[in-house]
Amino acid sequence: KFDILGLKTLTIISLTEKLIKNNIKNFNISKINLDDKKVYSLLSEGQTIGVFQLESKGMQNALRGLKPDRFEDIIAVVALYRPGPMENIPNYINRKHGIEKIVYMHERLSKILSETYGIFIYQEQVMQAAQVLADYSLASADILRRAMGKKDKKEMDMQKQKFIDGAKRIDIKKSKAEEIFDQISAFAGYGFNKSHAAAYALIAYQCAWLKAHYPHEFFSSLMTYDSDNVEKLSIFVNELNRMNIKVLPPCINLSSNQFSVEKFNNQTCIRHSLSSLKNVGNEAVKKMISIRNKVGKFKSFDHFVDLIPQNIFGKRGLESLTISGSFDNLNISRNKVFRSISNILLYSQRVENDKLSNQNNLFNDVKELSLTKSFKEVPEFSIFESEENELNSLGFYLKNHPIRKIESVYDNNKFKKSNFFYNYDLTRSAKIHKFIGIVKNIYKRKSQSGNLYGVIEASDAEGIVEIFADIRDVNFVEEHFNKNQIFIFNLEIRLDRNSGTRIICQSLHKLFDFISKHIKSLDLYIKNKNCLKSLKDEIHNIQTGNSNVNIVLNTNNKMVRVILNENIKISDSFINNISKLPFLEKIILN
């Protein structure tokens, strides 16, 4: 049997190979060993984001319970993880680890089923069983397999009698032969072709090997292939955060039309591509890169506009490049550029027209009168706007996660970041840990006993934590859910035999309910005193509470700290409102 499949994963593996060959010329993925301990450790921990066939939550849990240590285990789990056969996964795991006794329906099946601990998993095993128990040829055994798969009653009745007659020749009683036939028949309806599962398992293993040994190249290829899938990119960035691999923001001088591997401050990182930004097309980026390769890096924003015809990006493309921070290394204010895009496009068109007519016009004669000098003076984007801009251009938070603006809350409180839960040492004594995060997704599920529970995906600036919660806590989150609502979760980490670690919510509440009672003062660092009136207006109507608001202003290279208001309540709406003020630099909670 041959299945000829077109899989995107083969393209991803090929892209990864090319990146690796930049440093290791003779690298060949087909020559890797299939007994790599690092790979089986990665699989046993369920760290399979990006790994073909093995990245779903259910599969991750199955792998944590299974703890695969041989290639045959990967083949088996690929075949088992489907409706029907999934019921056998706990038995397979328990038998592998000696928790459950391995039982064969007949001793002649031990050789056929020893690899799968006495459990029928593959169609080939059905055919072999018919051969050794009932004297079928492999050709007639294939007819039996097809009849069982199609539930052809007439053919099945004929095959059953043939099986019983054949089994008599090795002294298997009729009642036992019927029992064996019925059990094989029940399985065969959903049996999986082993050669198919093995091919899938090989691709899965290659992905896991690349992730274990060349994660930068592997994830660059994954993200390049899925560059138009924001949800996938967000998942990959969170996984890279877990792996302590830095994703650098898009840059007009360093990014390409693909995600790329880059050295930054002696650390290997992944550089965000330009093509994956919203409204920035791949062909436009390729044209820009072609020019950049000829002239070198852009020295300034004026240099960029003079060399790159802005009609290749258009208004929306230029906006996305600007708000994503792609021009930051040209030392130009994002908001200045954003407010001047219409003028930039007009200027660029005039430059292009002059190039076409080969005129030495006013622009060439007075080069010192640069385009950027004509930009209006405007304040830089506010903290809130920077968050929104990043989300709108990249599709997810990379540098400006909403929790970053109140990151000082970690300093004097025992809050843990998501990385803590990824790398938790289960030998520690059980204890409750506090985590603050924004809810990304809520899933309601039903336990085997029929009780409702929830799985909450909550993110901080480092990544995502998957939290199992009582349905009352899920309802509380749903009741108070909005895009910027931050919760405190009191979490316990437990070891589940069949699915590894589980993070259990013991209680939760809104972060600002905690802040309003425990934070003594709020320091607002401002760049310009022009925002003082706006701040005063914002504070004027706020509720009475336990905290002071202080202004910290840099005046004549001296930091001046002034108490602006005493005994106010710090709420989420207050923090959101002040973070929209354009001259606010940072917020410090004490």
Side-chain angles (χ1 to χ4, degrees):
K1 179 179 178 181
F2 288 87
D3 281 341
I4 309 300
L5 302 172
L7 299 173
K8 75 171 189 177
T9 307
L10 296 175
T11 302
I12 290 164
I13 290 171
S14 177
L15 286 171
T16 309
E17 269 194 294
K18 286 177 184 174
L19 290 175
I20 294 169
K21 283 179 178 179
N22 290 335
N23 298 311
I24 304 171
K25 301 296 181 190
N26 61 348
F27 176 76
N28 188 335
I29 189 67
S30 64
K31 293 182 179 178
I32 62 174
N33 292 326
L34 296 180
D35 57 357
D36 191 294
K37 288 183 179 178
K38 203 169 179 181
V39 172
Y40 290 108
S41 175
L42 180 148
L43 296 177
S44 296
E45 291 167 7
Q47 306 297 357
T48 52
I49 295 296
V51 177
F52 177 68
Q53 290 282 299
L54 306 182
E55 57 183 332
S56 71
K57 295 291 183 188
M59 182 63 91
Q60 289 175 27
N61 288 335
L63 289 167
R64 290 186 190 108
L66 177 60
K67 306 239 176 296
D69 54 10
R70 58 186 187 139
F71 186 65
E72 288 75 12
D73 284 339
I74 307 175
I75 302 174
V77 81
V78 166
L80 284 170
Y81 198 79
R82 294 172 300 111
M86 285 179 79
E87 295 173 8
N88 285 320
I89 289 177
N91 303 97
Y92 186 92
I93 291 172
N94 290 334
R95 291 184 182 193
K96 175 179 172 64
H97 297 305
I99 298 167
E100 183 181 306
K101 188 179 179 182
I102 298 171
V103 179
Y104 300 103
M105 289 184 286
H106 191 278
E107 60 184 13
R108 285 200 172 202
L109 292 174
S110 60
K111 188 174 180 181
I112 297 167
L113 299 179
S114 61
E115 176 193 330
T116 54
Y117 309 107
I119 299 167
F120 276 99
I121 294 179
Y122 311 116
Q123 292 175 350
E124 289 88 343
Q125 290 173 320
V126 171
M127 294 165 65
Q128 288 175 295
Q131 186 183 31
V132 301
L133 295 177
D135 202 27
Y136 275 61
S137 68
L138 285 177
S140 56
D142 193 44
I143 294 170
L144 169 66
R145 176 194 64 78
R146 276 182 286 172
M148 287 178 167
K150 292 179 180 178
K151 304 285 193 297
D152 184 333
K153 188 174 186 311
K154 185 178 177 182
E155 180 65 32
M156 284 284 283
D157 289 341
M158 290 171 54
Q159 291 293 337
K160 187 170 187 177
Q161 190 56 52
K162 182 179 178 180
F163 187 91
I164 292 167
D165 292 341
K168 278 183 187 175
R169 295 173 196 164
I170 57 168
D171 299 324
I172 298 177
K173 292 180 181 179
K174 181 181 178 183
S175 59
K176 185 65 176 175
E178 285 180 335
E179 180 190 347
I180 293 172
F181 183 89
D182 289 342
Q183 285 199 37
I184 292 174
S185 178
F187 157 78
Y190 51 68
F192 204 70
N193 180 252
K194 185 182 180 183
S195 57
H196 182 96
Y200 269 25
L202 180 61
I203 297 171
Y205 183 91
Q206 288 176 343
C207 287
W209 191 95
L210 291 169
K211 181 175 181 178
H213 293 278
Y214 294 95
H216 302 86
E217 289 82 356
F218 180 60
F219 273 93
S220 291
S221 302
L222 277 172
M223 295 167 84
T224 293
Y225 193 95
D226 281 316
S227 61
D228 58 349
N229 187 331
V230 169
E231 189 60 34
K232 276 284 187 82
L233 290 180
S234 177
I235 290 168
F236 294 149
V237 167
N238 286 323
E239 178 68 355
L240 289 165
N241 282 333
R242 183 194 68 77
M243 297 169 72
N244 293 318
I245 294 175
K246 190 178 178 95
V247 180
L248 302 171
C251 173
I252 203 69
N253 271 330
L254 298 171
S255 293
S256 74
N257 61 315
Q258 298 184 340
F259 286 80
S260 53
V261 181
E262 183 182 317
K263 282 279 187 185
F264 180 79
N265 289 341
N266 295 319
Q267 182 183 356
T268 305
C269 307
I270 293 174
R271 175 68 71 177
H272 199 289
S273 80
L274 295 174
S275 296
S276 59
L277 298 175
K278 290 183 181 179
N279 303 314
V280 178
N282 190 45
E283 289 306 310
V285 174
K286 282 183 177 178
K287 288 176 186 175
M288 186 276 293
I289 290 171
S290 176
I291 297 170
R292 188 180 71 188
N293 288 341
K294 290 174 186 173
V295 301
K297 291 180 181 178
F298 305 113
K299 297 167 188 170
S300 64
F301 188 74
D302 288 282
H303 190 214
F304 169 78
V305 175
D306 284 341
L307 291 170
I308 306 299
Q310 293 314 303
N311 61 351
I312 70 170
F313 290 117
K315 183 174 184 289
R316 294 177 71 188
L318 200 52
E319 285 176 347
S320 193
L321 287 167
T322 303
I323 64 176
S324 68
S326 297
F327 297 121
D328 283 3
N329 75 323
L330 301 180
N331 297 316
I332 184 79
S333 160
R334 295 186 191 184
N335 203 12
K336 265 189 182 182
V337 174
F338 188 78
R339 299 290 179 91
S340 306
I341 283 176
S342 295
N343 289 337
I344 293 166
L345 292 169
L346 188 62
Y347 174 91
S348 179
Q349 187 59 53
R350 289 165 72 183
V351 169
E352 284 305 301
N353 290 341
D354 292 332
K355 285 177 183 176
L356 289 172
S357 61
N358 199 25
Q359 289 179 2
N360 291 319
N361 71 356
L362 181 64
F363 290 120
N364 295 326
D365 294 336
V366 285
K367 265 300 192 198
E368 68 275 6
L369 297 178
S370 70
L371 172 67
T372 51
K373 286 183 180 177
S374 70
F375 291 171
K376 289 181 181 177
E377 284 298 326
V378 290
E380 187 52 287
F381 287 122
S382 67
I383 294 171
F384 182 86
E385 286 171 325
S386 294
E387 293 168 1
E388 293 292 294
N389 286 340
E390 186 167 83
L391 191 61
N392 290 334
S393 57
L394 274 66
F396 54 89
Y397 297 114
L398 184 61
K399 287 177 64 183
N400 294 298
H401 193 285
I403 284 179
R404 286 208 188 277
K405 67 173 172 276
I406 54 161
E407 225 166 10
S408 58
V409 77
Y410 288 99
D411 296 342
N412 300 315
N413 300 282
K414 294 181 180 178
F415 296 130
K416 303 296 184 186
K417 296 186 179 181
S418 53
N419 276 339
F420 171 85
F421 297 94
Y422 300 147
N423 305 307
Y424 188 77
D425 181 2
L426 283 166
T427 60
R428 299 179 188 179
S429 57
K431 139 182 204 188
I432 305 298
H433 304 283
K434 292 182 183 296
F435 168 72
I436 60 174
I438 292 175
V439 173
K440 187 176 173 67
N441 290 307
I442 304 169
Y443 304 101
K444 290 183 180 177
R445 295 176 183 163
K446 194 173 280 190
S447 67
Q448 290 181 337
S449 59
N451 295 322
L452 274 175
Y453 71 97
V455 178
I456 299 169
E457 289 182 351
S459 76
D460 63 6
E462 310 298 326
I464 290 179
V465 175
E466 186 182 74
I467 300 165
F468 289 80
D470 184 276
I471 196 64
R472 288 173 302 174
D473 290 329
V474 173
N475 292 338
F476 177 83
V477 169
E478 284 186 321
E479 184 184 342
H480 297 94
F481 179 79
N482 66 56
K483 188 170 66 171
N484 291 310
Q485 183 65 261
I486 304 172
F487 294 89
I488 298 180
F489 298 88
N490 294 307
L491 302 176
E492 180 186 352
I493 304 173
R494 295 181 193 166
L495 179 62
D496 185 284
R497 190 179 70 198
N498 288 326
S499 59
T501 57
R502 279 200 169 190
I503 299 169
I504 312 295
C505 179
Q506 297 296 343
S507 63
L508 63 89
H509 46 274
K510 293 189 288 183
L511 173 67
F512 285 93
D513 288 348
F514 170 89
I515 284 177
S516 63
K517 294 173 185 174
H518 295 87
I519 298 299
K520 294 176 182 176
S521 68
L522 175 71
D523 288 348
L524 304 176
Y525 284 72
I526 60 174
K527 303 175 189 176
N528 190 305
K529 61 185 179 183
N530 291 342
C531 74
L532 287 173
K533 185 179 185 308
S534 301
L535 270 174
K536 189 176 179 182
D537 292 342
E538 188 60 45
I539 292 168
H540 181 69
N541 297 319
I542 207 155
Q543 289 177 275
T544 302
N546 305 314
S547 307
N548 297 338
V549 175
N550 308 310
I551 297 296
V552 182
L553 177 64
N554 189 337
T555 305
N556 298 324
N557 294 321
K558 289 184 180 178
M559 302 304 290
V560 178
R561 191 166 180 267
V562 180
I563 297 175
L564 194 64
N565 206 321
E566 297 179 336
N567 302 322
I568 68 160
K569 181 179 180 180
I570 300 173
S571 65
D572 52 348
S573 60
F574 172 65
I575 293 289
N576 283 331
N577 287 341
I578 62 170
S579 68
K580 292 175 184 177
L581 299 177
F583 295 104
L584 183 65
E585 189 171 14
K586 63 181 175 178
I587 300 168
I588 301 293
L589 298 159
N590 299 303

